[in-house]
Structure formats: C-alpha cells, structure tokens
C-alpha cells in the first residue's frame, strides 16, 4: 500500500517535471528563442527602473522589485529561512538541560537594567525599518535582523530571561500565512500571484505602494521571530 | 574618498587572511565579523544601502553571535592533527 502511494507521488512529480520541461526551447529554433528572451530580460531591468515608480507608487525601487516584480523569489527565500530555523530546532531539541543559572552567572543590576533600557529602542528601530521599507532603504529582512539583535541583547544581558517560544512560533506562522494569503488574494482578484490589488496611493506617503508595506511587515515579523527563535535555541545551555 | 575605500578593502583582505590563519576560533570569528563590517561600509559607498543594512545586521551582528554560541558549546582552540 505504502509503496503504491509513493509510486503514485513519484509519478505525479515526474509528470510535473515533464510538463515544465516540455515547453522549454530546444535546438536551433530554441537558441534563437532564448537569445530573444535574454534581450527581453535586459529590457525588463530597464523597465523596472523606469516604470516601477508609476506602477507601484513605491519610492524605494529595490523594494518594488523584491516584493512585486520578483515577489515569488522572496517567498522562496522566506521559506528557506524557515526550513533552516526548523532544522536547527530539530537538532537542538531536547538538549535544554538545567535552565536555571547559578548565582555566579546572574548579571549585575547595572547590566540587566541597561539591557532593559536599550531593548525598546532597538525594537523601535527595527519596526521603523520594516514599516518604512517602501520609502527608505531597508525592509523586512533588515528590520527583522535588528529585532533579533534586540532579543540577543536580552539573552546575553539578562541570563534568566527565557523567550516565550509558543508566542514566537505563533508570530512566525501567522506572518508567513499572511504573506501567502495576500499573494493568493491577488490571484483570486486579478488572476496573478502577488498582484498589487490595493489602491497604491501617493508616492512618498506612508500609506502607499498597495500590498508592499503589508507584505514587508509580515516578512519583518517572520524574520524577527525566526532569528530570535534561533538565538533562543542556541543560547539555551551556554556554559 | 578613493584612499579611504582602498584602506577599507585592504583591511578586509587582511581580516579575511587572518580569519583563515588563526588557530584560535574566537579570533577567527571576530576577524570574519570585521570582514562583514568593512563589506557593509563598502556597500554603502557603492550606493547599495539596502544590502549594507542587511550585511551590517546579519553578517556583522547575528552571525558572529551564533558562531560564538557554537564555539562556547565546543572547544575554542583548533587541535593539531597528529595523524601523520
């Protein structure tokens, strides 16, 4: 029974590959075709730069390319990060021995108070970076990394603090779902994945760019919670 | 400006060589983080602030911390190979 099911799955995968490869150009005709495609691709690059501002109303062209024209690649990147965090969690699972640090390891009052003072400021910078991802340099990945560095400060400065891994997991999953749902709504409304279906507003305004800020907020929360989870997992049994 | 950028590139090359050469893994990780820091400043001068931010926060910050956590769970010094 199991063998038959796996054979069936293998056949489905093989059929999918065959369908994808059947349309690929081949031979002399194909070479001409692919040269034409390459020329088109060069034009695509120019087109993104010249038309990106008008089409998406997104002041940062890099964000416009990353999240709209090449949004599917970004979904792949986020998935890769998720799988890496999952693998690390699987390797380190069940190794969290002796969570309570002894008295000598406890940080001094000055250190822990300083960390607690700095933590909200770092959070603010991170959230600012990903909310303004469509206006200024930066975005979800950068903002998420800054947020994770804030959690790193807490892990190093106040040793006894443990992050709430259930909340981290929930934030990660919900933001990932939000990304895919936004993309699928575009598919349902306009017929293409990651279509910018919201009104785009005025350039340089905070509420502009359609779905781009929403997706960047989702990516920021996802990357931040994933990297914080990695740090929490790794710092669990520091000697 | 070109002198400053040349200086950054030279520091980066020296740090990369040091990272490969050190027997102390902690020093090696710090040298790696120096490479990332210099790369992020150079990215900024090359007018790629997005990449510069990612490089500074992930390359110079989080990766170093994760490597240091990993070193703290293993041995700090590389052992000599005695198989010959």
């Amino acid at each position: 029974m199991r063998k038959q099911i796996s054979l069936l799955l293998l056949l489905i995968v093989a059929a999918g590959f065959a369908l994808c490869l059947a349309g690929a150009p081949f031979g002399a005709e194909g070479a001409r075709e692919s040269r034409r495609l390459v020329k088109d691709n060069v034009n695509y690059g120019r087109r993104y730069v010249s038309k990106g501002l008008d089409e998406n109303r997104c002041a940062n062209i890099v964000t416009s390319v990353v999240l709209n024209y090449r949004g599917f690649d970004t979904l792949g990147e986020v998935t890769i990060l998720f799988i890496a965090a999952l693998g690390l969690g699987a390797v380190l699972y069940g190794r969290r021995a002796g969570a309570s640090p002894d008295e000598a390891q406890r940080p001094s009052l000055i250190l822990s108070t300083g960390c607690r003072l700095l933590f909200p400021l770092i959070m603010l910078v991170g959230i600012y970076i990903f909310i303004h991802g469509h206006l200024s340099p930066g975005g979800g990945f950068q903002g998420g990394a800054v947020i994770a560095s804030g959690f790193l400060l807490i892990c190093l400065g106040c040793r006894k603090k443990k992050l709430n891994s259930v909340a981290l997991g929930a934030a990660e999953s919900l933001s990932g779902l939000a990304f895919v749902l936004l993309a699928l709504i575009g598919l349902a409304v306009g017929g293409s994945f990651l279509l910018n279906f919201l009104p785009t507003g005025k350039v340089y305004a905070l509420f502009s760019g359609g779905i781009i800020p929403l997706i960047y907020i989702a990516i920021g929360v996802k990357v931040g919670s994933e990297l914080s989870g990695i740090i929490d997992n790794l710092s669990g049994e520091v000697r | 400006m070109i002198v400053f950028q040349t200086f950054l590139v030279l520091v980066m090359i020296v740090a990369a060589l040091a990272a490969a050469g050190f027997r102390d893994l902690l020093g090696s990780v710090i040298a790696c983080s120096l490479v990332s820091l210099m790369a992020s400043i150079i990215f900024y001068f090359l007018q790629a602030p997005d990449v510069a931010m990612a490089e500074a926060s992930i390359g110079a910050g989080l990766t170093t911390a994760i490597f240091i956590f990993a070193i703290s769970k293993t041995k700090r010094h590389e052992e000599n190979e005695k198989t010959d």
Side-chain angles (χ1 to χ4, degrees):
Chain A
M1 188 63 197
R2 229 173 114 190
K3 266 186 189 166
Q4 269 119 27
I5 290 177
S6 49
L7 197 65
L8 192 69
L9 284 178
L10 194 66
L11 277 179
I12 290 173
V13 171
F17 266 115
L19 276 179
C20 289
L21 292 179
F26 187 72
E29 186 72 21
R32 233 169 295 147
E33 179 79 2
S34 66
R35 247 194 309 266
R36 197 178 57 75
L37 281 178
V38 167
K39 212 179 277 174
D40 271 3
N41 266 334
V42 174
N43 292 339
Y44 273 136
R46 294 213 187 92
R47 187 180 168 281
Y48 294 159
V49 174
S50 59
K51 293 261 182 70
L53 201 59
D54 291 332
E55 282 181 357
N56 283 324
R57 303 276 168 193
C58 175
N60 188 359
I61 299 289
V62 176
T63 301
S64 169
V65 172
V66 164
L67 285 192
N68 201 273
Y69 299 118
R70 293 281 181 264
F72 197 60
D73 297 8
T74 307
L75 186 59
E77 277 170 34
V78 171
T79 314
I80 289 171
L81 191 61
F82 170 69
I83 291 171
L86 191 72
L88 191 78
V91 168
L92 293 177
Y93 181 75
R95 287 228 189 149
R96 317 259 305 243
S100 63
D102 49 357
E103 198 64 31
Q105 249 192 345
R106 195 160 290 169
S108 70
L109 182 69
I110 295 173
L111 183 60
S112 61
T113 310
C115 286
R116 264 182 233 141
L117 196 69
L118 273 177
F119 178 71
L121 296 178
I122 296 176
M123 285 288 127
L124 189 69
V125 172
I127 292 170
Y128 175 86
I129 288 175
F130 70 67
I131 285 182
H132 290 73
H134 56 303
L135 300 177
S136 55
F141 291 100
Q142 291 90 337
V146 170
I147 286 179
S149 69
F151 280 112
L152 173 70
L153 184 74
I154 286 288
C155 278
L156 290 178
C158 327
R159 284 264 168 95
K160 61 183 175 182
K161 285 242 163 138
K162 270 269 122 288
L163 301 185
N164 185 349
S165 56
V166 178
L168 278 183
E172 186 190 326
S173 318
L174 286 179
S175 50
L177 264 182
F179 187 173
V180 176
L181 274 182
L182 276 170
L184 284 179
I185 289 173
L187 187 64
V189 171
S192 78
F193 199 68
L194 275 168
L195 181 81
N196 202 345
F197 61 89
L198 287 177
T200 46
K202 277 170 74 178
V203 195
Y204 304 120
L206 181 57
F207 293 100
S208 67
I211 61 169
I212 288 176
L214 297 179
I215 291 183
Y216 244 174
I217 289 170
I219 290 179
V221 173
K222 188 168 169 61
V223 171
S225 51
E226 255 162 11
L227 293 179
S228 313
I230 288 178
I231 286 165
D232 186 42
N233 267 332
L234 272 175
S235 67
E237 41 150 13
V238 175
R239 281 183 299 254
Chain B
M1 189 49 79
I2 197 78
V3 177
F4 184 52
Q5 287 184 26
T6 316
F7 171 71
L8 289 181
V9 171
L10 283 179
V11 170
M12 203 167 142
I13 292 172
V14 170
L17 288 176
F22 277 150
R23 311 251 351 136
D24 181 3
L25 292 179
L26 192 60
S28 207
V29 168
I30 300 294
C32 273
S33 127
L34 192 61
V35 172
S36 282
L37 191 64
M38 294 300 135
S40 101
I41 299 174
I42 292 169
F43 277 134
Y44 181 73
F45 282 128
L46 293 176
Q47 302 188 354
D50 294 80
V51 190
M53 275 168 112
E55 184 72 37
S57 57
I58 296 176
L62 286 178
T63 313
T64 312
I66 287 173
F67 275 141
I68 288 176
F69 280 138
I71 288 173
S72 77
K73 284 172 205 255
T74 51
K75 283 184 185 158
R76 184 171 161 185
H77 289 275
E78 197 179 345
E79 283 174 8
N80 290 321
E81 292 178 21
K82 288 172 184 169
T83 46
D84 307 346

